[in-house]
Amino acid sequence: PNYYATQGTNLLILYGIGNCDTCNKARRWLNDESHDYGFHDLRNDGLDIETLEQWTARISWQKFFNTRSLTWRKIPEIDRTNITRNKAITLMIENPTLVKRPVLESNKFIEVGFSPNHYAKILRKCNHMKNRRRLKTCCKIRLTMHNID
């Protein structure tokens, strides 16, 4: 689904985990800089194949796939060998904490990880408008959009 068509071209969605320090730093920075964004908690809200397909069509799946996590180490060795794009997508759907985070997405870019200077640069470059209202969560937007399709 094209979430940006109905929500506007400047919609930012931050994907992460509520108790992740780096995700919380990114959220704090976006709030402090008054950027309008929605937060999608990967652990609580999950992740669908359409989102991962869209991401991996835009940038390499390896950028999203976290092989340094505790979750990765808990996966049986047989499942960790010969990782392909499709296998990685399946594992990320089954274990959303395998997604490197945070992921900041708009219709103009996808950014994996957090750096205040880099966020400032890419948001300035794409002319993301600062906020007039704050989105509390984007999972409601996603559920609504899935029901339309």
Side-chain angles (χ1 to χ4, degrees):
N2 186 345
Y3 306 109
Y4 305 106
T6 60
Q7 298 300 320
T9 58
N10 283 324
L11 177 68
L12 288 175
I13 302 173
L14 185 71
Y15 294 84
I17 295 176
N19 63 350
C20 171
D21 289 341
T22 307
C23 296
N24 287 329
K25 287 177 188 175
R27 291 174 77 180
R28 207 169 14 256
W29 186 89
L30 289 166
N31 288 333
D32 290 348
E33 295 296 316
S34 301
H35 285 284
D36 189 11
Y37 72 96
F39 180 71
H40 183 99
D41 190 309
L42 294 169
R43 183 173 284 145
N44 296 330
D45 302 326
L47 193 58
D48 58 37
I49 192 164
E50 293 88 5
T51 300
L52 283 171
E53 292 284 347
Q54 289 173 6
W55 288 356
T56 58
R58 294 170 75 182
I59 62 176
S60 170
W61 64 267
Q62 290 95 336
K63 285 198 172 232
F64 298 104
F65 196 59
N66 186 0
T67 58
R68 298 175 74 189
S69 71
L70 180 59
T71 303
W72 173 252
R73 291 189 294 270
K74 288 182 178 180
I75 293 173
E77 183 66 33
I78 189 93
D79 294 329
R80 291 190 288 160
T81 57
N82 301 321
I83 297 294
T84 63
R85 176 184 176 275
N86 290 340
K87 193 172 182 180
I89 287 174
T90 300
L91 287 170
M92 286 187 278
I93 289 170
E94 292 171 356
N95 305 281
T97 57
L98 286 176
V99 174
K100 285 184 188 173
R101 44 195 192 271
V103 176
L104 183 63
E105 179 188 27
S106 85
N107 66 328
K108 297 179 181 180
F109 66 86
I110 296 178
E111 183 64 28
V112 180
F114 172 66
S115 160
N117 291 337
H118 195 67
Y119 268 32
K121 182 179 176 182
I122 60 176
L123 291 171
R124 189 172 42 251
K125 184 177 180 180
C126 74
N127 293 320
H128 183 266
M129 301 192 45
K130 290 199 175 180
N131 182 15
R132 285 171 255 320
R133 64 182 174 78
R134 181 128 357 256
L135 298 173
K136 296 297 180 195
T137 182
C138 66
C139 63
K140 291 179 186 169
I141 295 168
R142 290 193 169 281
L143 290 173
T144 302
M145 294 306 297
H146 282 289
N147 291 336
I148 291 171
D149 290 343

